[in-house]
């Protein structure tokens, strides 16, 4: 039986995600199993997820996934490179995943693999440094694309699309970690990654926009996932928007000393000063991000930094690989996979939160960081009684 690894945020799980799982299974064989590594309560855009990691994992498991594992907070709030490195660190160390499937705009795993190989070459790295030096104010992403164009213009064009970029980072992680995993890709259908409008299937960002505007988005979500989300709504546990956490985030940011901003991920000296100044003056997270933004620093990077500052994530937290794999949800097939991974894997698997206490100081510190973030996240719930603290320590995986 083939075991397919998939990395996602499922924010929320929609028909495009279901299509991806279905097509991945068709390519690998209908008896294949699907293991997902999914972001926790906060996602790479530097925002709160619509629904908690527990609800989103259950929705994914009811809609095609067999096993859903959590990508811990520091990697969930990383750049594409760190995000991919952490996710592949978990999938690769399970010892059971032989295929990685991801969506892309180009639909060619071969082209993305050649791009990854070129980016890993020393001469490409030197060229990127040269572009950054010779073009004042240029972003790293733009410098990288220019450097790649110097060697292969067609491959450089692939880096204009967000899913292609993530795909390249996944493949780089496979190479860098020497994983025996074959990358395959499913061409993305419907709306673009961040596109608005009615192209089907709609993008997750468009679905979130419609939900926030209280427009009907139920038709964009598979029935099994929708049932989970409707339950969460009834219980007052979502949808959660970052707006609901803004006052809590601002209070934490304003209490930080100026020097603390230099200790944040992806926050060099110049940017840390800009953010610290904006935090001391501006009245909203959006205003802080806008004030700190420049041609060199993208809004998404600044939002991640602000969320890391609010949640206590510090520089270097995502440099290594996650030290454990936490189970969020599983079905019968997923439970069989867990047994196999415990025999073949090179990473501890957490099914009971308290078991992290036996894994050492670093694992315990990481879990506490995530549990504190969950305590922060639940402050965005509409139902006061659901805002209790410490729930991350009491939550067992959802077994279907």
């Amino acid at each position: 039986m083939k075991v397919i690894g998939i990395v996602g945020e499922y924010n929320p799980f929609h028909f495009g995600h279901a299509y991806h799982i279905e097509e991945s299974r068709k390519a690998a064989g209908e008896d294949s199993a699907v293991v997902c590594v999914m972001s926790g309560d906060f996602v790479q855009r530097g925002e709160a997820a619509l629904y908690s990691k527990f609800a989103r994992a259950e929705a994914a498991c009811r809609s095609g996934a067999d096993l859903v594992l959590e990508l811990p907070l520091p990697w969930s709030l990383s750049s594409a490179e760190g995000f991919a490195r952490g996710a592949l660190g978990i999938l690769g160390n399970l010892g059971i995943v032989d295929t990685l499937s991801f969506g892309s705009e180009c639909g060619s795993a071969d082209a993305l693999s050649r791009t990854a190989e070129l980016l890993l070459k020393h001469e490409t790295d030197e060229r990127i440094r040269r572009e950054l030096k010779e073009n004042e104010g240029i972003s790293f992403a733009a410098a990288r694309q220019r450097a790649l164009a110097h060697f292969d213009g067609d491959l450089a064009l692939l880096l204009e699309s967000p899913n292609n970029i993530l795909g390249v980072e996944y493949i780089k992680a496979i190479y860098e970690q020497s994983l025996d995993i074959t990358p395959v890709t499913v061409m993305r259908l419907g709306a673009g990654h961040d596109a608005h409008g009615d192209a089907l299937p709609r993008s997750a960002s468009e679905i979130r926009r419609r939900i926030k505007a209280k427009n009907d988005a139920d038709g964009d979500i598979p029935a099994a996932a929708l049932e989970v989300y409707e339950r969460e709504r009834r219980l007052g546990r979502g949808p959660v928007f970052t707006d609901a956490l803004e006052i809590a985030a601002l209070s934490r940011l304003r209490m930080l000393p100026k020097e603390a901003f230099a200790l944040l991920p992806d926050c060099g000296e110049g940017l840390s000063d800009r953010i610290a100044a904006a935090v001391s003056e501006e009245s909203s997270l959006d205003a802080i991000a806008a004030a700190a933004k420049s041609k060199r620093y993208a809004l998404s990077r600044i939002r991640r930094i602000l969320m890391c500052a609010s949640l206590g994530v510090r520089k270097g937290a995502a440099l290594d690989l996650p030290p454990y794999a936490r189970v969020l949800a599983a079905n019968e097939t997923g439970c069989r996979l867990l047994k196999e991974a415990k025999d073949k894997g090179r990473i501890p698997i957490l099914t009971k939160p308290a078991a992290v206490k036996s894994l050492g100081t670093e694992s315990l510190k990481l879990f506490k960081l995530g549990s504190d973030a969950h305590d922060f996240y639940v402050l965005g719930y509409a139902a006061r009684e659901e805002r209790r603290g410490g729930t991350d320590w009491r939550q067992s995986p959802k077994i279907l």
Side-chain angles (χ1 to χ4, degrees), residues 246-270:
E246 184 168 68
I247 298 301
L250 287 173
S251 67
R252 290 191 176 191
L253 290 170
R254 289 185 178 178
M255 292 174 69
L256 289 175
K258 182 180 178 180
E259 56 269 22
F261 291 93
L263 301 177
L264 297 171
D266 295 325
C267 198
E269 183 178 349

Side-chain angles (χ1 to χ4, degrees), residues 102-109 111-112 158 161 163-164 185-188:
F102 54 88
S104 69
E105 289 84 1
C106 73
S108 171
L112 296 173
L158 295 178
S161 303
N163 290 100
N164 286 346
T185 188
V186 175
M187 183 176 286
R188 185 184 177 92

Side-chain angles (χ1 to χ4, degrees), residues 259-283:
E259 56 269 22
F261 291 93
L263 301 177
L264 297 171
D266 295 325
C267 198
E269 183 178 349
L271 182 54
S272 67
D273 290 343
R274 292 174 68 95
I275 291 177
V279 164
S280 69
E281 297 174 7
E282 303 298 336
S283 60

Side-chain angles (χ1 to χ4, degrees), residues 115-319:
T115 305
E117 290 167 3
L118 186 51
L119 286 174
L120 288 170
K121 290 186 175 181
H122 176 72
E123 51 265 42
T124 307
D125 191 49
E126 288 296 314
R127 187 76 192 189
I128 293 172
R129 294 176 188 273
R130 179 176 168 182
E131 293 290 344
L132 287 169
K133 184 178 180 180
E134 294 180 355
N135 297 279
E136 186 177 352
I138 191 174
S139 69
F140 177 82
R144 185 172 72 163
Q145 189 167 13
R146 285 193 185 193
L148 199 61
H150 178 78
F151 300 103
D152 191 315
D154 290 338
L155 294 184
L157 290 175
L158 295 178
L159 297 184
E160 294 180 354
S161 303
N163 290 100
N164 286 346
I165 292 171
L166 260 180
V168 168
E169 294 298 342
Y170 294 145
I171 297 170
K172 280 175 58 185
I174 289 173
Y175 291 154
E176 290 174 325
Q177 297 176 39
S178 301
L179 301 177
D180 188 17
I181 293 178
T182 302
V184 299
T185 188
V186 175
M187 183 176 286
R188 185 184 177 92
L189 297 181
H193 180 73
D194 277 328
H196 295 325
D198 292 325
L200 298 177
R202 291 189 176 96
S203 68
S205 59
E206 170 64 8
I207 294 170
R208 291 193 299 272
R209 186 191 69 79
R210 292 172 69 88
I211 292 173
K212 189 172 185 179
K214 301 190 184 305
N215 293 329
D216 181 25
D218 289 356
D220 298 301
I221 298 171
L226 185 60
E227 185 178 339
V228 175
Y229 300 146
E230 286 179 338
R231 179 197 69 208
E232 295 299 294
R233 292 175 201 164
R234 288 194 304 271
L235 293 172
R237 299 193 300 223
V240 173
F241 296 99
T242 305
D243 298 355
L245 299 170
E246 184 168 68
I247 298 301
L250 287 173
S251 67
R252 290 191 176 191
L253 290 170
R254 289 185 178 178
M255 292 174 69
L256 289 175
K258 182 180 178 180
E259 56 269 22
F261 291 93
L263 301 177
L264 297 171
D266 295 325
C267 198
E269 183 178 349
L271 182 54
S272 67
D273 290 343
R274 292 174 68 95
I275 291 177
V279 164
S280 69
E281 297 174 7
E282 303 298 336
S283 60
S284 70
L285 293 175
D286 284 346
I288 293 171
K293 182 185 180 299
S294 69
K295 186 167 72 170
R296 185 160 198 169
Y297 305 120
L299 275 175
S300 57
R301 177 177 175 179
I302 295 171
R303 289 194 183 104
R304 283 197 300 272
I305 290 170
L306 291 174
M307 194 57 71
C308 285
S310 300
L311 298 175
V313 180
R314 296 294 177 255
K315 187 175 293 184
L319 284 180

